[in-house]
Amino acid sequence: MELAEGIRKKGFRGWYERQLIEAHLFLISGFLCLIMVIASLEEFSLRTPAWETLLRFTAMLGGSAVCLWALKRYLVMLDFAEYAAERSVCEKCAAYGGLDLGGAAASRAPEQDEDGERIAVPVGVRCRKCGHQWTIG
């Protein structure tokens, strides 16, 4: 979920909590794929029938690819959540996480890089407590 959409629907704290849960689900998925790769490697043998060898080899390659992708996704999500959390403290009153959307930057559409990953769009926010405005992203 994008930062602007998350703040609009759940508030910053709800968005942050959801990002951490999703990121850790990617970590768990990557770890389970790693276990599958190790289990396939343990029973891998060229003396077994060709179909079984091919199946185990395919499972190892696929599991390795999914594991690496999931771990990369975990790190990217966790990094962005921490980046946003560091910038969600109001400079005027030091309130944390009490944010509303504000400013023109929140209305821009998300962009994508060469890999098809979404690039974080700057989001204009306003403190609920004192009304101070700033940009996250």
Side-chain angles (χ1 to χ4, degrees):
M1 181 181 297
E2 295 297 321
L3 179 59
E5 181 184 344
I7 291 174
R8 187 179 309 110
K9 287 184 179 179
K10 298 179 179 284
F12 178 78
R13 291 181 186 192
W15 172 85
Y16 181 68
E17 180 181 315
R18 182 181 171 109
Q19 286 296 110
L20 292 180
I21 290 170
E22 281 186 38
H24 284 89
L25 287 175
F26 278 107
L27 177 66
I28 292 167
S29 299
F31 186 68
L32 291 175
C33 286
L34 181 63
I35 290 172
M36 183 195 67
V37 168
I38 292 170
S40 295
L41 182 62
E42 182 181 8
E43 293 295 321
F44 187 78
S45 173
L46 294 176
R47 294 183 180 144
T48 58
W51 66 269
E52 187 176 333
T53 303
L54 183 62
L55 184 65
R56 288 190 191 280
F57 186 69
T58 304
M60 287 188 310
L61 285 179
S64 298
V66 171
C67 178
L68 291 174
W69 173 79
L71 291 178
K72 178 187 174 218
R73 188 74 184 133
Y74 164 73
L75 292 173
V76 167
M77 289 180 75
L78 190 65
D79 185 45
F80 182 67
E82 289 301 315
Y83 175 82
E86 289 171 359
R87 283 149 186 80
S88 66
V89 178
C90 179
E91 296 171 358
K92 300 271 181 172
C93 65
Y96 171 75
L99 308 175
D100 287 325
L101 288 180
S107 63
R108 285 186 14 202
E111 302 168 8
Q112 293 185 350
D113 64 4
E114 303 84 37
D115 299 333
E117 296 285 328
R118 289 184 178 171
I119 297 173
V121 175
V123 176
V125 294
R126 183 177 49 83
C127 178
R128 288 183 190 155
K129 192 172 181 182
C130 69
H132 176 68
Q133 293 187 357
W134 70 98
T135 303
I136 297 176

